[in-house]
Amino acid sequence: MKAIAIFPKTHEVKLIDHEEPKITTPTQVKLRMLEVGVCGTDKKITSFQFGTPPAGSEYLVIGHESLGEVVEVGPEVRDIKPGDLAVMVVRHPCPHEYCRACRMGHQDFCFTGDFTELGIKEAHGFMTEFVVAEERHMNLMPRELRDVGVLTEPLTVAEKAIAQVWQIQQRLPWIDPNTSAQMRGKGLKAMVLGAGPVGLLGTMVFVASGFETYVYSRSKVPNPKADLVEEIGGKYISNETTSVEQLAEQVGNIDLAFEAAGASQIAFDVMRVLGPNAIFVFAGVPDHTVPIKVDTALLIRDHVMKNRAVLGSVNADRADFEAAIRDLGVFKQRWPQVLRSLITGYYPIEQAPQLLLGSAGGIKNVVTL
Ligand SMILES: [Zn+2]
Ligand SMILES: [Zn+2]
């Protein structure tokens, strides 16, 4: 069957013939892949910054943002049947008994580093025709979300972030843990850095949680992403025309910042103007560039004096996937056009190498199978 693979030794990215997988345990499910999203991580893998084939293989099948349709199930599969749509989790647990994170199903917090990530680290991914995996690594997707289901995985980045933020902010004695999800951001301001797919999906999450939400990104207005932000109910501000100091003056206290672009200079600039008790979440991975100068003493002083928390967040657990699927339903009701327009291009698998190696514009490009 067809697959897109990278060959780290020869630095090739190409369409290959890959052996079709078979169900080998009673609890496995076989999926026909429908769509696979392409993101910055894939670009880093196809430019050989990272990405590791499984042991014994000279290549890695890439793709981790999946949407598939079930074609076959093992005899002990209970909750999934042929015809169902499903999205797969990306990270699988490490084998170590002492890794409490993995043993509890929270491999996104694995502390041994010996986890695998499908399409990224030591396990083949989804940019291929069929995939077999254990039922417990799949999340069911309602049929009515077929057209946007491939956005689940990028959405989990923001879902994990907000779940963490909510837990951490329980430190504030006046926060009522029983507040409904839609009211948690009421009266608070969120600042999203970057207007790529994760930034825009994050904007939806924060607006839907009641935050007054701003997006601070490069392109000057007017631009199509700024229009999307406004349609979601956020406010777009360009960092080309508004300095961080002007931003702080315009917005007032920032309670939550979500960095989804991997832009390190802007991140540290915005960190300077966070409000009291604020949280800054790093979710983007920057390219390694020349070091920048930061006034560390000032930054530390302000973090101490204002009780701020800085958090890194990677990957997602099952609850985050479930939250993402639930929220896609909410977003589809609330912003049907905007949600659809996040997917800006569909490419057949034969064209995937050009897509991965080129500089296709748009927001989220998707490989169809
Ligand atoms: Zn991705
Ligand atoms: Zn682990």
Side-chain angles (χ1 to χ4, degrees), residues 48-79:
F48 302 96
Q49 296 177 47
F50 56 84
T52 319
S57 171
E58 54 172 345
Y59 62 83
L60 170 73
V61 174
I62 66 161
H64 57 273
E65 301 181 2
S66 67
L67 176 66
E69 183 172 35
V70 177
V71 291
E72 195 187 332
V73 299
E76 284 173 28
V77 170
R78 288 287 159 259
D79 300 321

Side-chain angles (χ1 to χ4, degrees), residues 164-177 254-256 274-280 303-304 306-310:
Q164 298 286 299
V165 164
W166 182 241
Q167 270 191 22
I168 293 165
Q169 292 306 64
Q170 305 290 319
R171 68 189 170 139
L172 305 176
W174 58 90
I175 298 286
D176 174 5
I254 299 167
D255 301 287
L256 166 63
L274 292 176
N277 309 326
I279 294 200
F280 190 106
H303 282 4
V304 172
K306 295 185 176 172
N307 294 296
R308 293 172 182 159
V310 178

